[in-house]
Amino acid sequence: MIKEVFKKTSVLTDKPFHYCPGCTHGIIHRLVAEVIDELGIADNTVGVAPVGCAVFAYDYFNLDMFEAAHGRAPAVATGIKRSLPDRIVFTYQGDGDLASIGTAEIVHAAARSEKFTTIFVNNAVYGMTGGQMAPTTLLGQKTTTTPQGRNQELNGFPIRMSELLATMDGAVYVARVSVHNAIHVNKAKKAIKEAFMAQINGLGFAIVEVLSSCPTNWGLSPNEALKWLEENMIPYYPLGVFKSPAEVD
Amino acid sequence: MSKVLMKGNEAIGEGAIRAGCRHFFGYPITPQSELPHYLAKRMPEVGGVFLQAESEVSSINMVYGAAGSGVRVMTSSSSPGLSLMQEGISYMAGAELPCVIVNVMRGGPGLGNIAPSQSDYFQATKGGGHGDYKLITLAPASVQEIIDMMAKAFDLADQYRTQVMVLGDGVLGQMMEPVELGEMKEVEQLPKPWAATGLRGRSERNIINSLYIVPEVCEELNQKLFAKYAEIAAKEKLWEEYQLAEAEIVLVAYGTAARICKAAVEKARANGIKAGLIRPITLWPFPTEVMAQAAITAKEFLTVEMSMGQMVEDVRLAVNGACPVHFYGRTGGMVPTVTDVLTEIEKLAGGDQQ
């Protein structure tokens, strides 16, 4: 008797990911897709893809999808959700998209407590455009636009978006997770499910920040990159639930 | 049917509601503020959505989301705000999303002032944002025309899956005129099977997108868009002719400037000068044929704008050298007077007699 213990979720298309070897976008896509599958909402969900490495996310999610301009996914999602309030809407955004060019959009979507869910992938670098400094780049971290390492005098400090958004009354669920090992992948999935549940329950704006790796632009092997994430990113970007619906009640 | 006294900006809002629009996203800016004021009160009365965004950049992207969801949606702004929206409008052009964008123009460039102007003509009719695209631009000249034009604007947007700009100015936005509203009617709307609304049993996914990474495919999109624009140009040109028969001096003006010109033409005719007026109602597509036709018998063309001269370029292209095209304009929020225009007409008539 053969028992199936693992299979591809139908919420992802058959199109092979274009992501670099060792990039964790693939894992995060899969987690979002599994959650949508398990919640039984695929038929009623609309996703919004960002500009950046995940610009082709609409090719991978087997859902109705929008491709938004850089940083504007929360505004686009607002337009969708206000037009179709009974649909489940999510945005999938990177750190350049959400924490730099789209800071206004995400802050105000949270302030209005827009009833959609945001998956925020933070790999501390601009991936697609060539490894430039992101708002989340760590102090001392070398990128193509901080060749000597990020210097606070020149470049300012990294932004902790989850902590910032958790201060807002409109945010009902804010969590930071990581996908650098299997235990944390499972925790990440749990958080993503909570964020979608907050929307299904009509509570308001929910965001999950997922710490992710970029072996290509960090100049590390996939394994080294995961280790770097654990040792360097987690100390600055602590994991945990910053706000949950229970606290909001 | 009784008439009501209404401000131009309010008429835009009421006209939109009567056209079946139930979604408005915008950001305050003078001189169009009475429109969001009106809709903030009126939209909830008809079960619609009014949302004040955090910026013009956000409002146009909210429009993108709503338009892609298949609803009739509108935003409105004034010159500097429209500049901020250009990115989003270009994305909507690429994704072929129908919407109505209102621009109540003010003096510029930069922060300029809040006085009426027509200096966003290029931005409205030549694309405005990045890339190859155009949008239908409608230029009303009275509050009643605004009411009637809003239905046309939404219908054209849906029919061609394109963006329609209603281009007014501070005079039109602020003036009050009696209008006939007619009855509130259920509006018949085209189905939008392309909208991304959640699969809901559909097997094919709907993607709202303007990313065409392969040059051949991107060129194909541009060619498809321009075939559509050619169809619009062939079918949708609108203009008004006033005293055009046997006109020797043909004025061309739109919106508020056209109202001033109409009065100047009347005075010129009273003085024995054969003046006439062409008022483009669609600024794009531009009514070139009527101008080319008039240029055969006219002696002089005079374009009058509340700008340093933008539409005059299109008039020159339309006239194509058949007769001289002159320009008179005021800018920075200055409005030409009837006497100013009449003086220009008389100069041209006098010059002809010498």
Side-chain angles (χ1 to χ4, degrees):
Chain A
M1 186 75 175
I2 299 168
K3 190 183 168 202
E4 190 177 63
V5 294
F6 190 78
K7 64 169 181 175
K8 186 184 146 288
T9 166
S10 61
V11 178
L12 289 178
T13 64
D14 289 334
K15 185 155 178 136
F17 292 143
H18 70 280
Y19 300 114
C20 301
C23 167
T24 47
H25 263 309
I27 295 171
I28 303 163
H29 277 20
R30 189 185 161 94
L31 295 181
V32 173
E34 282 180 358
V35 163
I36 289 169
D37 200 3
E38 287 167 20
L39 292 172
I41 53 173
D43 217 32
N44 206 37
T45 296
V46 180
V48 186
V51 166
C53 287
V55 72
F56 294 118
Y58 57 81
D59 275 341
Y60 308 133
F61 287 101
N62 201 5
L63 306 164
D64 272 12
M65 294 286 292
F66 281 69
E67 170 54 44
H70 42 194
R72 317 298 179 222
V76 172
T78 298
I80 301 166
K81 189 74 183 188
R82 296 284 182 137
S83 303
L84 306 167
D86 61 343
R87 309 304 203 271
I88 302 301
V89 179
F90 74 94
T91 72
Y92 188 103
Q93 303 178 256
D95 43 62
D97 196 77
L98 180 141
S100 188
I101 197 165
T103 326
E105 281 78 2
I106 198 69
V107 165
H108 286 276
R112 292 190 303 266
S113 201
E114 294 292 342
K115 295 182 179 65
F116 62 77
T117 302
T118 292
I119 309 301
F120 167 39
V121 180
N122 178 3
N123 64 4
V125 76
Y126 282 22
M128 181 172 271
T129 43
Q132 296 91 350
M133 183 191 76
T136 48
T137 294
L138 296 173
L139 291 178
Q141 187 182 340
K142 287 186 178 174
T143 71
T144 50
T145 50
T146 54
Q148 265 72 52
R150 182 175 185 161
N151 170 340
Q152 73 225 39
E153 292 288 325
L154 276 174
N155 315 111
F157 293 91
I159 302 178
R160 294 186 181 95
M161 286 306 294
S162 287
E163 286 84 340
L164 190 153
L165 292 171
T167 65
M168 308 196 67
D169 292 340
V172 299
Y173 182 78
V174 183
R176 184 183 289 121
V177 296
S178 172
V179 287
H180 67 281
N181 65 29
I183 293 169
H184 281 92
V185 167
N186 285 334
K187 286 185 179 172
K189 182 171 171 181
K190 195 167 164 276
I192 291 168
K193 196 174 248 179
E194 286 286 329
F196 274 95
M197 283 306 297
Q199 182 180 173
I200 290 167
N201 293 330
L203 298 178
F205 179 74
I207 180 168
V208 179
E209 175 175 349
V210 187
L211 300 186
S212 176
S213 68
C214 185
T216 301
N217 286 303
W218 292 355
L220 299 171
S221 73
N223 274 335
E224 288 168 346
L226 294 177
K227 196 160 173 281
W228 190 90
L229 186 167
E230 186 178 9
E231 292 174 355
N232 296 278
M233 286 184 75
I234 294 177
Y236 192 84
Y237 297 114
L239 307 181
V241 177
F242 296 90
K243 202 165 190 186
S244 68
E247 291 172 51
V248 175
D249 296 343
Chain B
M1 191 64 65
S2 63
K3 289 198 169 188
V4 292
L5 193 62
M6 210 168 213
K7 219 172 198 187
N9 283 332
E10 295 170 341
I12 298 169
E14 188 57 38
I17 283 173
R18 280 156 191 269
C21 173
R22 293 292 179 273
H23 292 81
F24 178 90
F25 303 92
Y27 187 74
I29 184 170
T30 311
Q32 59 81 58
S33 292
E34 294 83 0
L35 169 52
H37 299 174
Y38 185 83
L39 287 179
K41 181 172 174 290
R42 192 81 172 94
M43 273 300 188
E45 288 174 0
V46 292
V49 172
F50 169 88
L51 184 61
Q52 181 170 322
E54 64 272 25
S55 69
E56 289 88 348
V57 174
S58 260
S59 14
I60 193 70
N61 282 283
M62 290 171 185
V63 169
Y64 179 99
S69 307
V71 302
R72 283 198 160 179
V73 58
M74 178 172 87
T75 186
S76 89
S77 192
S78 179
S79 308
L82 245 293
S83 292
L84 286 173
M85 288 186 184
Q86 293 299 343
E87 173 198 67
I89 298 171
S90 169
Y91 274 71
M92 293 189 86
E96 295 189 85
L97 294 180
C99 71
V100 173
I101 301 151
V102 176
N103 182 4
V104 182
M105 291 179 282
R106 58 189 245 178
L111 202 46
N113 60 31
I114 58 169
S117 171
Q118 293 182 325
S119 52
D120 302 347
Y121 179 90
F122 284 149
Q123 213 178 41
T125 61
K126 310 295 180 192
H130 59 282
D132 277 327
Y133 75 93
K134 290 182 177 293
L135 37 101
I136 296 175
T137 304
L138 301 174
S142 72
V143 182
Q144 182 68 56
E145 193 178 24
I146 287 171
I147 288 279
D148 303 334
M149 194 176 271
M150 292 312 289
K152 178 91 184 160
F154 281 97
D155 285 347
L156 285 171
D158 283 355
Q159 185 184 344
Y160 294 103
R161 283 187 64 179
T162 195
Q163 308 73 53
V164 176
M165 184 176 288
V166 175
L167 191 68
D169 60 65
V171 173
L172 270 173
Q174 297 295 323
M175 68 165 34
M176 291 185 91
E177 287 185 315
V179 291
E180 209 158 88
L181 289 174
E183 274 173 57
M184 274 286 272
K185 280 182 287 198
E186 194 68 34
V187 178
E188 209 171 303
Q189 296 185 26
L190 288 175
K192 295 177 178 171
W194 47 264
T197 56
L199 286 161
R200 305 209 143 192
R202 203 182 336 105
S203 57
E204 282 292 303
R205 301 183 308 137
N206 282 343
I207 310 288
I208 303 298
N209 186 19
S210 66
L211 178 62
Y212 297 87
I213 207 95
V214 179
E216 285 84 349
V217 179
C218 195
E219 186 179 49
E220 210 174 288
L221 165 81
N222 280 292
Q223 283 166 343
K224 182 184 157 207
L225 289 178
F226 273 72
K228 177 165 81 177
Y229 299 149
E231 188 190 344
I232 294 170
K235 293 181 182 166
E236 308 296 350
K237 287 174 182 170
L238 295 170
W239 68 91
E240 182 195 351
E241 299 172 16
Y242 181 72
Q243 304 270 20
L244 195 59
E246 293 166 29
E248 291 176 356
I249 296 172
V250 175
L251 276 67
V252 184
Y254 68 96
T256 295
R259 291 174 70 129
I260 297 157
C261 285
K262 211 179 241 187
V265 164
E266 269 175 34
K267 291 204 167 185
R269 286 268 175 181
N271 296 348
I273 301 170
K274 285 185 179 170
L277 170 71
I278 298 170
R279 175 173 75 93
I281 297 172
T282 52
L283 298 181
W284 191 87
F286 196 65
T288 46
E289 290 82 357
V290 63
M291 291 174 207
Q293 191 61 39
I296 296 170
T297 47
K299 289 181 179 157
E300 314 281 350
F301 261 60
L302 173 65
T303 305
V304 178
E305 297 177 62
M306 284 143 64
S307 81
M308 289 301 286
Q310 299 190 15
M311 182 181 69
V312 64
E313 295 187 6
D314 285 335
V315 176
R316 288 202 173 111
L317 280 171
V319 167
N320 198 21
C323 78
V325 177
H326 307 272
F327 172 74
Y328 179 75
R330 297 298 302 271
T331 182
M334 295 300 294
V335 180
T337 65
V338 175
T339 311
D340 290 338
V341 178
L342 186 61
T343 306
E344 293 300 312
I345 295 172
E346 282 166 349
K347 261 194 255 172
L348 290 176
D352 190 47
Q353 284 158 12
Q354 281 161 10

